[in-house]
């Protein structure tokens, strides 16, 4: 016996994918007897009726339809037909703003930014408000160092390797970038701020694909095709992405070093020219399976295989004692080649314990990483009379790095009294790095190993963490209070230097967020947190990497972590306009520094802890709706910064005023035809970093986009760094240290890109915070 007049109904599209959110009305004569909304495509009607009835079905993106039924029946499948005109309208009207500001983060919707799509994730980061990408692979947000996450999982790279990886990822695979200036206790304490890059993930049952590709022309050409896919059916969801990048960029650099002693004055000028070549494959494959309505288990695999080559030619002109003619000229050919392979394996389990928000999340991670590099340096010198210098320099230095990271974490969330949330968790991570570096003199008779200039370095780090936080509302007040404790053990050993640096410490990191809502338009908020910045692994590596007979780079295994203290008081008007005043203090912060020996004419770059960096300032954001077709997002940050430390038998105490401004203009030129435009600009005033004095930077970029193929395709044309203002200049004038450089990295470019969607609309990927939090960001 059938217990219902329509026991089971299923709504699908023409491909067999279920359709959610369909309004289904059961009608008889001119009366509506019942209305249902399909969930996972399913619906049913329980009324004990008999005879002819009509089902009316309505859904956004589909043509309205009706179907006559003779009840009772047990089951029926109804296929809806898409309305291409409606879909086109939905695509236009559902567009998100390029920049969205929330109380705890700023969201940069990359997929809606013309100037950020069709390029790479590295380029897109440089367009995000308050974010600056640096020549050495460093990234800052609101003047803070950052940890980079991808879909709530940290990227275990840093410096130039991080930049190379982000340049390998097509920005067309990215939905948005979240800038979290003051992370809560659930985040690892590592880093001043968090940048979370959220990848696209097609949504909807069945098979969905996004195809993208971009071609960039600067001095040379680069390109990056990519795809994102998703397959969802019943309890199973399989998703992934693949991207390939081929990059070729021009690179020029002008350096100077003044070696000044009572006996001699030498002016060394280096003119470098080279090419940055790189190609990489990046891919992701994940699957989620709903064991029950309350339980889901997932596996996620990420991979990256990249290769790069950096041929450089450097002409060094040496002038002694203010002579009108050079005393000698050095010609150095430097070729550096590298390969990097990184994989990450994540197993995730989540269970909802009740319907009130109580749940448990478990993550297990394993991340192996390998980096192989080789560098060949050949230097030839000539005297002023044209004779060759007798001591030419020919070396070959191969190096290897292997890193293994194991981690696991458990998170528990509970909700009570309807307005309060409690979070707590445990985490353990274990990292081991093994590094080898060999130094060969390339003689006519063959390579000769120099054991005293080669080395083996091993580093181990174990971090145990526990955290708890509680958040909720009391009247007009909102609170979040958290505490995180981390116990760290490290051990670094250099075989040749015969050093063993051990460090054990336990630290507590409190967080506090308080907001008072005076009325519906006015709110005051207060934030405080403390964090830690552990040195990236490459900073600890003591190997000396020579780029010429007189210049090299080396790490420092004795580096200590820096501790960061942040306080902020803010005001928000109408949930849009915000101004805040902040105080930031960094104790024992570390930085790369240059050292020049004015007698031996040796110049090298190393790492060391400095005493203090502190900053007081303000930040303000004020969006403007200039017209229905013109949206403006403005951001300003002003600061007074002090840096002081002892260095080279003296002390410095530098003070500087700084300003950072950004403005993004989005134009809807023709809504019906999907024609849009965008202009993005930012400016950063001169500032300081340790003994370095950095010149001002600026960037102006613009672009246009057009929807094609009934809204499923988008064509974009963008021009980046139109006035070539994103070139770095750094100077040092401290005691007897006088040096600096000016670097241009081919940032002015034109990009033509196209993306096409097959199936459902793209959306952000399911967030899953893996166990390996900050370690990935700190590898080399």
């Amino acid at each position: 016996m059938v217990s219902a007049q329509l026991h089971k109904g299923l709504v699908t599209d023409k491909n067999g994918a279920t359709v959610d959110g369909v309004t289904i009305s059961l009608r008889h004569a001119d009366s509506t007897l019942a209305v249902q909304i399909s969930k996972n495509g399913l619906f049913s009607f329980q009324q004990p009726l008999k005879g002819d009835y009509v089902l009316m079905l309505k859904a956004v993106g589909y043509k309205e339809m009706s179907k006559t039924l003779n009840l009772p029946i047990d089951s029926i499948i109804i296929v809806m037909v898409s309305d291409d005109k409606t879909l086109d309208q939905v695509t236009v009207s559902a567009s998100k703003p390029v920049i969205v500001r929330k109380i705890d983060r700023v969201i940069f919707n990359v997929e809606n930014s013309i100037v950020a799509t069709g390029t790479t994730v590295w380029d897109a980061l440089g367009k995000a408000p308050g974010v600056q990408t640096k020549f050495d692979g460093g990234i800052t947000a609101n003047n803070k160092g950052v940890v980079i996450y991808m879909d709530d999982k940290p990227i275990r790279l840093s410096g130039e390797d991080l930049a190379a990886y982000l340049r390998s990822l097509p920005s067309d695979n990215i939905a948005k970038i979240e800038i979290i200036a003051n992370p809560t206790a659930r985040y690892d304490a590592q880093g001043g701020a968090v940048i979370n890059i959220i990848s696209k993930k097609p949504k909807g049952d069945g098979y969905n694909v996004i195809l993208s590709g971009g071609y960039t022309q600067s001095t040379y050409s680069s390109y990056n095709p990519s795809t994102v896919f998703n397959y969802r059916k019943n309890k199973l969801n399989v998703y992934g992405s693949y991207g390939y990048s081929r990059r070729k960029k021009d690179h020029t650099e002008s350096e100077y070093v003044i070696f000044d002693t009572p006996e001699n004055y030498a002016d060394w000028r280096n003119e470098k020219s080279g090419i940055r070549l790189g190609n990489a494959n990046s891919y992701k494959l994940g699957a989620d399976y709903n064991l029950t309505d309350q339980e889901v288990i997932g596996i996620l695999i990420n991979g990256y295989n990249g290769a790069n080559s950096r041929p450089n030619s450097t002409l060094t002109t040496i002038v002694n004692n203010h002579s009108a003619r050079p005393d000698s000229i050095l010609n150095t050919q430097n070729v550096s080649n590298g390969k990097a392979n990184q994989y990450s394996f994540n197993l995730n389990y989540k269970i909802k314990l009740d319907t009130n928000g109580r749940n448990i999340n478990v993550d297990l991670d394993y991340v192996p990483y390998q980096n192989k590099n080789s560098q060949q340096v050949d230097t030839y010198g000539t005297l002023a009379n044209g004779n060759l210098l007798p001591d030419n320099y020919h070396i070959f230095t191969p190096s290897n790095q292997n890193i293994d990271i194991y981690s696991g974490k458990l998170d528990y969330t509970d909700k009570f009294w309807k307005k309060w949330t409690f979070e707590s968790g445990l985490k353990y991570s274990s990292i081991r790095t093994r590094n080898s570096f060999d130094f060969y003199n390339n003689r006519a008779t063959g390579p000769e190993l120099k054991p005293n200039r080669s080395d083996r370095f091993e580093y181990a780090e174990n971090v145990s963490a526990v955290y708890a936080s509680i958040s909720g509302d009391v009247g007009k007040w909102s609170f979040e209070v958290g505490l995180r404790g981390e116990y760290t053990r490290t051990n670094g050993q250099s075989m040749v230097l015969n050093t063993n640096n051990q460090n054990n410490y336990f630290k507590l990191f409190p967080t506090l967020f308080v907001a008072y809502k005076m009325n519906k338009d006015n709110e005051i908020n207060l934030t405080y947190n403390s964090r830690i910045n552990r040195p990236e692994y490459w900073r600890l590596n003591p190997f000396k990497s020579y780029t010429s007979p007189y210049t090299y780079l080396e790490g420092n295994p004795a580096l200590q972590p820096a501790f960061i203290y942040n306080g902020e008081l803010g005001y928000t008007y109408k949930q849009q306009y915000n101004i805040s005043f902040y105080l930031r203090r960094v104790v024992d912060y570390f930085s790369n520094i240059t050292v020049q020996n004015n007698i031996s004419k040796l110049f090298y770059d190393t790492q060391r802890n400095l005493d203090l960096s502190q900053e007081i300032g303000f930040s303000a954001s004020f969006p403007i709706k200039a017209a229905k077709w013109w949206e403006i997002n403005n951001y300003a940050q002003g600061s007074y910064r002090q840096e002081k430390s002892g260095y080279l038998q003296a002390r410095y105490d530098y003070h500087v005023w700084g300003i950072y401004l950004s403005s993004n203009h989005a134009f809807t030129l023709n809504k019906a035809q999907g024609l849009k435009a965008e202009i993005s600009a930012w400016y950063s005033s001169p500032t300081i970093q340790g003994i370095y004095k950095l010149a001002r930077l600026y960037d102006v970029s613009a672009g246009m986009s057009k929807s094609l193929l009934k809204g499923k395709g988008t064509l974009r044309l963008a021009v980046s760094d139109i006035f070539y203002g994103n070139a770095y200049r750094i100077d040092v004038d401290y005691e007897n240290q006088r040096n600096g450089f000016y670097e241009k990295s081919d940032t002015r470019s034109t990009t033509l890109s196209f993306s096409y969607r097959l199936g459902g609309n793209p959306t952000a990927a399911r967030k899953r915070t893996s166990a390996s939090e900050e370690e990935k960001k700190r590898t080399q």
Side-chain angles (χ1 to χ4, degrees), residues 37-49:
I37 304 295
S38 67
K39 184 177 181 181
N40 296 324
L42 297 172
F43 68 95
S44 66
F45 290 101
Q46 305 295 324
Q47 289 81 355
L49 302 174

Side-chain angles (χ1 to χ4, degrees), residues 504-515:
N504 300 316
Y505 54 90
F506 175 77
K507 293 293 182 180
L508 292 174
F509 303 96
T511 59
L512 173 66
F513 298 85
V514 180

Side-chain angles (χ1 to χ4, degrees), residues 679-715:
I679 298 175
S680 175
W682 59 263
Y683 169 84
S684 179
S685 66
T687 186
I688 54 176
Q689 178 186 322
I691 61 172
Y692 296 138
K693 297 179 179 179
L694 288 71
R696 61 100 176 96
L697 296 167
Y698 64 93
D699 184 298
V700 178
S701 302
M704 295 185 69
S705 70
K706 175 71 170 68
S707 292
L708 303 171
L709 304 175
K710 298 179 180 179
K712 291 192 173 185
T714 303
L715 183 67

